Amino acid sequence: EADIYQTPRYLVIGTGKKITLECSQTMGHDKMYWYQQDPGMELHLIHYSYGVNSTEKGDLSSESTVSRIRTEHFPLTLESARPSHTSQYLCASSELHRGSSREQYFGPGTRLTVT
Amino acid sequence: GESVGLHLPTLSVQEGDNSIINCAYSNSASDYFIWYKQESGKGPQFIIDIRSNMDKRQGQRVTVLLNKTVKHLSLQIAATQPGDSAVYFCAELSAGGTSYGKLTFGQGTILTVHP
């Protein structure tokens, strides 16, 4: 069982609010990822990190930002939420080696609704 | 650009039958092809992968086939059980370029197993 956690699981928030989605893992993995997923659709990488103080933008443009101050923690922040941000956000982690990226451990996701 | 997609969006089978889920990919420059399973309310879970220099790999009740000639990937599940009901995603691990070491996910296939 993967030890990666996301909070909150569900969030309904009004337009313009600042939100932070939390993600923590206890596996000591160096690489962490954030994906955006609409129901039944493919996952789109929005941010990733190779380790502490490393953050990179993914393939899908996102208005969110991330930070990696500790190995186990990779929060995602939206400064001003909009209805277009409504989606499911999935956090994942893997070991550092490139080949290890194929086996990523996912959290349960945060379903965000912006009204 | 790179894309990974599935032929069939839904598949319904009877318990005990074998299931075959298909996937087409367009990017030949990848090291690994991977299958993930996503149950309702959960994040995706790694099932099995295959390296690009192989054409078949077997796991427990699952077999992945890779046909590089036609850029086709399939997942076979033997003796399908109700617990196999989920959305299945194929993904590829990029070998180089700007997508180095990143997973690209295809659209999911919903597998429903009837008792």
Side-chain angles (χ1 to χ4, degrees):
Chain A
E1 194 74 22
D3 296 319
I4 181 163
Y5 309 98
Q6 290 185 244
T7 58
R9 290 293 311 277
Y10 303 92
L11 180 61
V12 180
I13 200 163
T15 297
K17 299 292 185 183
K18 177 181 178 178
I19 58 171
T20 297
L21 307 184
E22 301 289 348
C23 175
S24 294
Q25 51 96 6
T26 58
M27 295 173 282
H29 286 164
D30 287 305
K31 290 188 78 171
M32 295 190 73
Y33 316 80
W34 276 103
Y35 292 89
Q36 188 172 337
Q37 180 187 32
D38 291 324
M41 301 297 288
E42 62 265 40
L43 284 70
H44 294 287
L45 182 67
I46 51 175
H47 297 284
Y48 62 102
S49 166
Y50 289 109
V52 171
N53 294 326
S54 156
T55 60
E56 305 284 345
K57 289 192 178 296
D59 302 318
L60 181 67
S61 175
S62 174
E63 294 166 343
S64 58
T65 59
V66 291
S67 63
R68 190 85 183 277
I69 299 172
R70 303 198 314 267
T71 298
E72 63 272 21
H73 195 214
F74 191 40
L76 180 145
T77 298
L78 275 167
E79 291 293 333
S80 180
R82 294 209 300 267
S84 61
H85 296 139
T86 295
S87 189
Q88 171 152 268
Y89 293 84
L90 288 159
C91 180
S93 70
S94 72
E95 295 182 6
L96 184 60
H97 324 292
R98 187 189 67 81
S100 299
S101 298
R102 69 191 193 271
E103 185 168 0
Q104 296 182 14
Y105 295 85
F106 283 83
T110 293
R111 186 166 296 281
L112 173 65
T113 302
V114 184
T115 61
Chain B
E2 301 172 5
S3 69
V4 181
L6 295 172
H7 292 299
L8 300 174
T10 61
L11 178 64
S12 292
V13 300
Q14 290 296 126
E15 182 177 2
D17 287 351
N18 296 333
S19 302
I20 300 176
I21 301 171
N22 298 301
C23 176
Y25 65 92
S26 61
N27 181 18
S28 300
S30 55
D31 267 358
Y32 287 92
F33 296 89
I34 309 103
W35 284 99
Y36 277 81
K37 172 187 180 183
Q38 185 174 24
E39 296 176 87
S40 180
K42 297 183 180 180
Q45 182 179 17
F46 174 93
I47 302 172
I48 190 170
D49 62 3
I50 186 168
R51 196 158 187 174
S52 58
N53 61 356
M54 300 171 65
D55 54 21
K56 181 179 180 179
R57 188 171 184 215
Q58 285 185 295
Q60 187 177 16
R61 280 202 310 117
V62 295
T63 301
V64 57
L65 300 176
L66 177 62
N67 185 331
K68 293 182 287 294
T69 302
V70 295
K71 297 182 179 178
H72 185 265
L73 182 72
S74 68
L75 177 71
Q76 299 178 359
I77 304 174
T80 315
Q81 302 167 0
D84 294 326
S85 293
V87 180
Y88 289 81
F89 293 92
C90 61
E92 58 176 317
L93 182 67
S94 300
T98 58
S99 297
Y100 181 78
K102 288 187 266 185
L103 283 183
T104 300
F105 284 85
Q107 189 175 17
T109 291
I110 301 172
L111 174 65
T112 302
V113 182
H114 300 284

